[in-house]
Amino acid sequence: MLRIEGLTAEIDGKAILRGIDLEVPSGELHAIMGPNGSGKSTLSYVLSGREGYEITGGSVTFNGVDLLAMEPEERAAAGVFLAFQYPVELPGVGNANFLRTALNAQRRHRGENEVDAMQFLKLARARMKELSMPEDMLKRGVNVGFSGGEKKRNEVLQMALLSPKLAILDETDSGLDIDALKIVSEGVNALRSPAFSALIITHYQRLLDYIVPDRVHVLMAGRIVKSGGPELALALEASGYASVAA
Amino acid sequence: MNAIVNNNAAGLLGRADALATPAWAAETRAAGIAALRAHGLPTRRAEAFRYTDLAQVAQASFGENSPMGARGLGMPSLPLTRGAARLVFVDGVLRGDLSSLPPRPLSDAQALLGGLTSLPTQPIAAMNAALFEDGLFLDVPEGEDAGLVELVCVVTGARGAIGFHPRHVLRLGRRAKLTLLDTSDGAAGLAYLHNPVFEISLDEGAELAHVRIQREGRAAFHLSSVHCAIAAGATYDNFTLNAGGRLARNEIHAALNGPKAMCHMNGAQLVGDGQHADTTTVLHHAAPDCGSRQTYKTVLTGKSRGVFQGKILVSKPAQRTDGYQMNQALLLSEEAEMDSKPQLEIYADDVKCSHGATVGALDPAQLFYLRSRGIPQQAARSMLVEAFLTEATEGVGDEACRAALSEAVTAWWAQERA
C-alpha cells in the first residue's frame, strides 16, 4: 500500500528526514516512535502534502502511484488521511458543512454520487454516537471552542466518515485522558480491515496498549534506526530511546 | 481646514445655484452652499480624507438633478422582501407607483433638518445639503413598532449619469422600534453619484436596526453619511455592506447622549479590482454607562484599496463606558492595500475601551487543513472567505435583512472568484 524509499526532506535548508525506508502493506498498522525532533511530524506532513517542505530525494508510492506528485486534496481523495497533532480551528465554518463538503469533494473526485444533507446527518450521527460526541458539535465552528479531547475525537470522526485507505495519526494520543484515549482507539480499531492501513506516530507506548500495531519503527534524527514487533514498544518504554540509539 | 480653501466644488455649486429651493429647504441649502464655497471638496491634505481622494468627484460632472415627477423609467427587478413597507427611488425620483409606504413629505421634517450635521467639517454632508431635494421621512410615534421598512434606491441609467443627493430623516419616539433595510443599486459602467445623508434621532428607549446594502454600479461614486443621536436607553444598530462603486465612502457619526444607550456599528467591505472603499466611523460617548460595539471586515481582491477609520471619543461625563472596536482585513491579492486608522480619545477615567486591527492573507494552516480533507484549493479558499464574512453578518438580528446580506455577499464572491 505505502512504500517509502530513501526519502529525504528539509525545511529552510535544514535536513529533517535523512533517508527513510518504510513499507506498510495493506491491512497493517505500523507505529512510528521517536523522541522530539526526530522528524515524526515532518514525515506526516510530507506524506499529506503540506507546503514548506523541500523533498530532496527518494520516493513515496501509494498503491503504485507517485504520492509526492499529487496535491493534498488528490492524496485525500486517493485515500490518505492525516489526523493532525494540532487540529486547526476554522471560525465561521460549521462542522457539519465542513464534513459534508469534504466527503462530497472526495466522492466527486472518485466519480461517486454525493450524499445529500439528510443522508449525511444520519451517517454523521451514527458515527458520533460511537465516539461519544455530543450532537451539537456538528453545529459549532470546526474545532472552535473544542477541548483538546474534543478536537482529537473530531479528527477520528472525520476519519470514520471519510473511510481512508491509509490513516496517519500524528500524536493523536497527546492531551487525551484515559477515557478519551479508549474512545479514540476504538474508533481506529473499528476501521481495521484488510484494505485499511495506518501509520501511528506517537511518543509514548501507552496508545499502543489500545491500538496494537503489527510493526513498530523507531525514528531518530530523520532515520528509522530499528524495527520490530509490538514488543519493541515495550522495550522502549522500559529503557528509553537512548538504549536503542546505542 | 483653512489650508484647503479652493474652488474645486465649482461644478457642484453651479448645480446647486440652478436648483429651485422651497422655503423649508432654504436654510439647509444655504448652509451647504456656504460650506462648499468656503472649503471646497477635501483633498488628501485633510486628515479625515488622507486615504480617500475626492478629487475624482470634484472633476466629474453629473447630470441635472431629478426633476420631480418624472415618469416612465424602467424598474429593474430587485429581490425585495415580501410584505415589507417600501419606498422606492428610481433615478433620483420617488416612485409612488412602486412604493407601498405613503410617503410623508420631507418638508414635514424641516425642524429636524441639519440638526445633527456639522457642515464645515463634513464635506459629504455639505454636498448633500447644497443639492438635496427629496428623501425619506419616517417619524415613528412613541411605543410603536413600525416593523421592517425598505428604502430602495436604484439608478438605471435612463437619465444618464445623475447626481442623486437624497436626505433621509428618521425620528423614533420613546420606546419606538424600526428595522430599516436600505439598498443602493445601479447600472454598471455609469459614473453617477449617489450621496445620501441620514439624520436619525432616537428618543429614550427607542431601537433602530439599520441595515445598508451598498451595491452601486462599479463606475459609480457612493458618498454617504449617517448622523445619529441616541438618547438614554436607546439602541442604534447599524450594519453596512459596502460592495459597489468605483469610490465609496460611508461615514457614521453617532452620539450616545443619554445613560445606558447602545451603539452597534458593524459591516463588511467587499472590494474588487479597481475599487476603493472607505468606512469612517466617529462615535461620541457623551453619557455614562453606555456601550458600543464595532466589528468591520474587509475582503480585497485585485488592485483595490480599503480604508477603515474609527474614532471613539469618550467625554468626561461618560464614566463606565464599555467600548469595543475590531477591524479585520483579508488581502487576497498582492496588489490590494488596506489602510486602517483606529483612534481613541478618552477623557473619562473609569472606562473599558479596546480596539484591534488585523490585516493578512488567508491562513495557510487553515487552507492545508481543508485541502488535506479533500477539498480542492479554490473551494477551500471560498470556504474561508465566506467564513470570514459570515462572522460579520451572522450578528444581524432581522432574518430578512440577514438573508439579503448573505445573498449579496455570496453573489459578490461568486463573481470575484470567477
Side-chain angles (χ1 to χ4, degrees):
Chain A
M1 165 134 354
L2 178 71
R3 183 194 291 270
I4 304 174
E5 285 178 312
L7 180 64
T8 57
E10 56 183 49
I11 310 171
D12 301 328
K14 188 169 167 245
I16 308 288
L17 303 184
R18 298 157 180 268
I20 295 207
D21 294 289
L22 178 67
E23 186 167 358
V24 184
S26 275
E28 289 194 7
L29 270 58
H30 288 207
I32 293 187
M33 301 183 70
N36 285 332
S38 57
K40 300 192 301 290
S41 284
T42 297
L43 177 62
S44 68
Y45 286 140
V46 164
L47 293 178
S48 51
R50 187 176 178 137
E51 286 173 12
Y53 298 87
E54 186 74 35
I55 314 288
T56 47
S59 67
V60 179
T61 54
F62 180 64
N63 289 330
V65 183
D66 180 4
L67 192 68
L68 300 178
M70 296 161 86
E71 296 293 334
E73 55 268 33
E74 293 171 334
R75 301 182 196 200
V80 176
F81 179 90
L82 170 65
F84 282 59
Q85 182 179 2
Y86 302 108
V88 178
E89 297 187 8
L90 304 175
V93 179
N95 209 20
N97 177 35
F98 162 66
L99 292 169
R100 191 158 80 91
T101 304
L103 180 60
N104 281 334
Q106 293 199 17
R107 293 180 68 95
R108 233 184 354 260
H109 196 271
R110 294 193 293 257
E112 297 164 13
N113 285 337
E114 296 187 19
V115 294
D116 66 29
M118 289 303 292
Q119 290 169 308
F120 170 77
L121 268 184
K122 217 174 140 186
L123 212 62
R125 282 186 182 136
R127 293 283 177 273
M128 290 177 78
K129 211 171 157 190
E130 289 163 14
L131 293 165
S132 306
M133 290 169 70
E135 219 176 85
D136 79 329
M137 278 174 75
L138 276 182
K139 291 183 193 137
R140 285 149 66 181
V142 178
N143 295 324
V144 179
F146 288 24
S147 70
E150 284 176 331
K151 283 181 181 170
K152 295 299 175 76
R153 269 185 273 177
N154 203 30
E155 294 293 289
V156 177
L157 171 66
Q158 293 170 44
M159 182 169 70
L161 284 168
L162 298 172
S163 48
K165 296 192 179 86
L166 172 72
I168 303 161
L169 280 71
D170 188 2
E171 304 211 11
T172 296
D173 50 333
S174 66
L176 289 187
D177 61 30
I178 201 76
D179 291 334
L181 189 67
K182 280 183 187 166
I183 291 167
V184 163
S185 303
E186 281 164 18
V188 177
N189 287 329
L191 294 173
R192 289 189 102 143
S193 86
F196 175 77
S197 311
L199 260 187
I200 299 155
I201 292 170
T202 182
H203 202 87
Y204 303 105
Q205 191 269 336
R206 189 178 70 150
L207 177 67
L208 306 180
D209 287 341
Y210 299 96
I211 308 174
V212 181
D214 297 290
R215 298 281 292 167
V216 174
H217 310 277
V218 180
L219 184 66
M220 290 184 78
R223 279 194 193 92
I224 287 172
V225 294
K226 194 164 191 168
S227 298
E231 72 287 347
L232 179 55
L234 293 167
L236 280 172
E237 184 80 355
S239 53
Y241 290 111
S243 67
V244 179
Chain B
M1 302 282 287
N2 291 337
I4 323 161
V5 175
N6 58 41
N7 58 1
N8 69 0
L12 295 166
L13 285 164
R15 278 174 55 216
D17 286 337
L19 286 176
T21 303
W24 59 269
E27 196 186 324
T28 304
R29 171 106 69 237
I33 289 173
L36 282 186
R37 213 164 253 151
H39 307 290
L41 290 180
T43 68
R44 291 177 57 182
R45 278 178 293 170
E47 182 60 22
F49 286 84
R50 214 169 123 185
Y51 306 112
T52 296
D53 192 351
L54 295 189
Q56 297 177 72
V57 181
Q59 284 153 18
S61 89
F62 305 104
E64 61 191 290
N65 252 27
S66 46
M68 298 298 174
R71 284 289 178 270
L73 301 173
M75 175 70 188
S77 65
L78 281 176
L80 299 170
T81 313
R82 213 169 285 278
R86 179 177 309 139
L87 211 64
V88 180
F89 287 83
V90 179
D91 293 310
V93 179
L94 174 61
R95 291 283 296 268
D97 56 325
L98 299 170
S99 303
S100 61
L101 189 73
R104 196 163 161 195
L106 194 60
S107 54
D108 285 2
Q110 184 182 358
L112 298 167
L113 281 180
L116 301 177
T117 53
S118 170
L119 302 185
T121 59
Q122 294 169 351
I124 289 176
M127 198 188 306
N128 174 283
L131 289 149
F132 83 104
E133 287 188 290
D134 208 344
L136 164 78
F137 176 38
L138 273 177
D139 190 1
V140 185
E142 177 171 343
E144 193 170 297
D145 184 349
L148 175 65
V149 170
E150 269 186 273
L151 170 62
V152 179
C153 294
V154 190
V155 175
T156 66
R159 293 181 50 244
I162 58 165
F164 174 36
H165 309 263
R167 169 72 56 126
H168 307 300
V169 179
L170 284 84
R171 180 172 58 192
L172 271 64
R174 305 168 68 137
R175 298 182 314 284
K177 283 187 190 175
L178 172 69
T179 298
L180 179 69
L181 173 58
D182 133 37
T183 56
S184 304
D185 291 84
L190 188 70
Y192 63 93
L193 166 66
H194 185 191
N195 169 218
V197 166
F198 289 83
E199 290 194 88
I200 301 171
S201 318
L202 305 179
D203 288 351
E204 284 80 5
E207 291 174 36
L208 174 62
H210 187 188
V211 176
R212 313 190 63 204
I213 300 181
Q214 186 280 100
R215 211 168 22 194
E216 310 279 11
R218 288 279 273 256
F221 299 97
H222 181 95
L223 302 174
S224 77
S225 73
V226 173
H227 305 262
C228 186
I230 310 164
T235 300
Y236 179 59
D237 189 346
N238 178 298
F239 186 97
T240 302
L241 181 71
N242 200 18
R246 143 172 43 159
L247 175 70
R249 169 149 160 149
N250 286 308
E251 293 184 5
I252 304 177
H253 302 262
L256 294 152
N257 292 331
K260 296 187 176 166
M262 277 296 296
C263 184
H264 301 266
M265 300 192 279
N266 301 311
Q269 305 197 98
L270 314 177
V271 201
D273 191 45
Q275 290 183 286
H276 179 113
D278 175 335
T279 291
T280 294
T281 66
V282 181
L283 177 62
H284 183 190
H285 275 267
D289 300 302
C290 294
S292 62
R293 294 281 175 278
Q294 296 184 56
T295 305
Y296 286 94
K297 300 224 178 196
T298 304
V299 177
L300 299 114
T301 69
K303 190 167 163 49
S304 62
R305 191 164 183 191
V307 178
F308 173 79
Q309 307 184 104
K311 179 175 174 176
I312 301 177
L313 166 66
V314 181
S315 294
K316 208 155 191 182
Q319 299 297 351
R320 295 170 303 282
T321 283
D322 184 359
Y324 171 83
Q325 181 192 84
M326 175 55 82
N327 122 69
Q328 298 177 303
L330 192 51
L331 301 175
L332 297 179
S333 128
E334 307 246 316
E335 292 178 292
E337 178 182 336
M338 180 74 196
D339 296 293
S340 179
K341 193 176 82 175
Q343 212 183 334
L344 299 184
E345 216 177 297
I346 299 176
Y347 298 100
D349 45 28
D350 182 10
V351 165
K352 205 168 85 188
C353 247
S354 62
H355 69 90
T358 63
V359 178
L362 287 174
D363 180 354
Q366 294 184 332
L367 262 180
F368 175 64
Y369 191 65
L370 290 167
R371 295 179 70 194
S372 78
R373 297 305 181 243
I375 300 170
Q377 173 144 324
Q378 274 310 315
R381 283 169 63 90
S382 277
M383 279 181 94
L384 294 177
V385 171
E386 281 170 20
F388 177 79
L389 293 168
T390 298
E391 278 198 303
T393 56
E394 71 189 357
V396 172
D398 183 83
E399 207 174 316
C401 292
R402 204 170 52 240
L405 282 169
S406 159
E407 194 182 302
V409 168
T410 306
W412 177 81
W413 178 242
Q415 188 191 323
E416 282 305 313
R417 74 181 163 187

